[in-house]
Amino acid sequence: MTRIFSGIKPTGHLTLGNYLGALRQWVEVDQHRADALFSVVDLHALTVEHDPARVRRLSRQAATLLLAAGLDPERCAVFVQSHVDEHTRLSYLLECTAADGELRRMIQYKEKGGQARAAGQSVRLSLLTYPVLMAADILAYGADEVPVGEDQTQHVELTRDLAVRFNQRYGHTFTVPRATHPPVAARVMDLQDPASKMGKSHESGAGVVYLLDDADTVRKKIMRAVTDSGREVEYDREHKPGLANLLEILAVCEGGKPDELAGAYDSYGALKKDTAEAVVELLRPVRERHAELAADPAGVDAVLRLGAERARGLARPRVDAAYRAIGLMPAV
């Protein structure tokens, strides 16, 4: 059976982009067709300046939202990355397999490193090496597929390279995974800046719809979305990115194709109104279920504990094999 691994970083409140680009696919498709593992990858949140209490709070919120969105612990493993030691155990072996140059070429390292320097902050070594930890996240489980956004494709390619290199040097140990992408709205854009992805850590939340935003807040944000010059409603990602973003969001919420939906509207206002209502109804059950789960933290902890136990059971034999393959003595 195909095995899938994917994770989400607790670096901010989860957004509509996270839901449409990842969570919905995990819930409606991936957990039913594969042996699936989904993780809150909290170790990745430590690669930049952070508040420890906020990381803990967002990690719990993210885990609760994964369950609220519909991930079923009877069908898949839901767990927190730092609860499974095999991630960090394997990461060091892969650091010994990776090359400095290939990590420094990572686009996200260049971007985030530049942002840190511009803010007068030092660049943490973990920011350079976190793609190797991501590779360990994937390879520890023998994952065949990794559902990711387009911005993470480069990291999956690095994972493939490291798996092949390790296998060639030390004997076949790892499955070589492949990235998979949802067909539509894999990259939902900021409502105020349609050239930028709708991100969890965006400084201004004006263009970001968060999963826990109330209905009125969602409506206000979408009705105030930046549109484009002209009056004709048409799907043109290059010349009308604001409208294209709204049409893609509506298409994923209600079904259909963005270019076909465009023909049903003769004004920007009508499109915004329908998109806002579609998003409100899409997120309503998630918010309601989150409130129920958040009122029972012990129940969420039990799910995460069982998920970590299952993940550990899958990862440990493979990581132990990697330790033997690379030349380390077994524990006595």
Side-chain angles (χ1 to χ4, degrees):
M1 189 177 187
T2 298
R3 181 167 292 165
I4 288 174
F5 174 89
S6 198
I8 198 158
K9 285 193 293 186
T11 51
H13 299 288
L14 300 191
T15 72
L16 176 66
N18 296 130
Y19 185 77
L20 294 181
L23 300 189
R24 193 179 184 188
Q25 174 80 11
W26 297 355
V27 168
E28 296 182 356
V29 179
D30 292 337
Q31 70 172 336
H32 299 284
R33 71 177 180 86
D35 181 14
L37 300 101
F38 301 109
S39 180
V40 177
V41 286
D42 53 344
L43 294 172
H44 291 295
L46 310 185
T47 60
V48 294
E49 292 292 330
H50 65 276
D51 171 28
R54 185 170 187 265
V55 171
R56 282 192 292 270
R57 185 171 64 253
L58 290 176
S59 295
R60 172 168 289 279
Q61 184 186 92
T64 306
L65 278 168
L66 293 184
L67 299 174
L71 288 182
D72 181 355
E74 296 293 324
R75 293 182 175 274
C76 63
V78 180
F79 65 100
V80 177
Q81 178 194 29
S82 63
H83 296 176
V84 180
D85 293 344
E86 279 62 35
H87 292 256
T88 49
R89 288 183 62 209
L90 180 56
S91 182
Y92 182 71
L93 300 194
L94 295 179
E95 284 185 13
C96 296
T97 308
D100 172 80
E102 62 189 343
L103 294 181
R104 293 188 183 279
R105 289 193 294 272
M106 295 289 109
I107 294 172
Q108 289 205 4
Y109 171 71
K110 293 179 180 179
E111 292 178 350
K112 292 184 178 181
Q115 291 168 3
R117 294 185 188 94
Q121 300 171 352
S122 60
V123 180
R124 299 186 181 197
L125 178 62
S126 56
L127 184 63
L128 176 66
T129 60
Y130 102 86
V132 178
L133 176 57
M134 179 177 169
D137 298 338
I138 297 164
L139 298 180
Y141 299 104
D144 303 288
E145 296 181 8
V146 189
V148 291
E150 293 290 345
D151 59 333
Q152 293 293 328
T153 299
Q154 188 183 36
H155 293 157
V156 178
E157 288 303 312
L158 175 67
T159 301
R160 290 170 56 84
D161 291 343
L162 294 179
V164 170
R165 190 177 306 156
F166 192 100
N167 289 346
Q168 289 175 342
R169 289 179 180 176
Y170 309 114
H172 185 79
T173 307
F174 298 119
T175 300
V176 180
R178 61 184 179 276
T180 60
H181 308 286
V184 181
R187 194 173 172 85
V188 178
M189 312 308 282
D190 190 286
L191 297 171
Q192 293 297 315
D193 179 14
S196 300
K197 187 177 74 168
M198 185 181 285
K200 297 187 297 292
S201 54
H202 202 287
E203 292 184 5
S204 170
V208 181
V209 174
Y210 298 105
L211 297 189
L212 296 180
D213 279 345
D214 61 53
D216 287 342
T217 299
V218 172
R219 291 187 183 100
K220 288 177 182 177
K221 288 180 177 180
I222 294 179
M223 292 305 294
R224 293 172 181 170
V226 169
T227 49
D228 309 282
S229 59
R231 295 184 178 181
E232 186 176 356
V233 179
E234 57 184 349
Y235 180 65
D236 186 336
R237 171 56 78 179
E238 181 178 355
H239 298 102
K240 291 193 172 185
L243 282 176
N245 191 37
L246 291 172
L247 287 164
E248 289 185 359
I249 292 171
L250 181 61
V252 177
C253 287
E254 294 192 339
K257 298 180 179 179
D259 54 345
E260 294 176 357
L261 288 172
Y265 294 95
D266 55 13
S267 73
Y268 295 173
L271 172 61
K272 287 182 175 182
K273 182 178 179 180
D274 283 359
T275 303
E277 293 306 317
V279 172
V280 166
E281 291 308 311
L282 181 75
L283 299 184
R284 188 188 306 280
V286 177
R287 290 201 316 274
E288 292 174 351
R289 180 59 177 152
H290 176 271
E292 295 173 2
L293 291 167
D296 181 22
V300 174
D301 286 344
V303 169
L304 296 178
R305 185 166 52 252
L306 290 173
E309 288 174 1
R310 181 183 170 203
R312 195 176 301 116
L314 291 172
R316 182 163 294 170
R318 186 170 285 99
V319 175
D320 286 348
Y323 267 58
R324 291 192 299 271
I326 206 169
L328 298 177
M329 285 180 57
V332 295

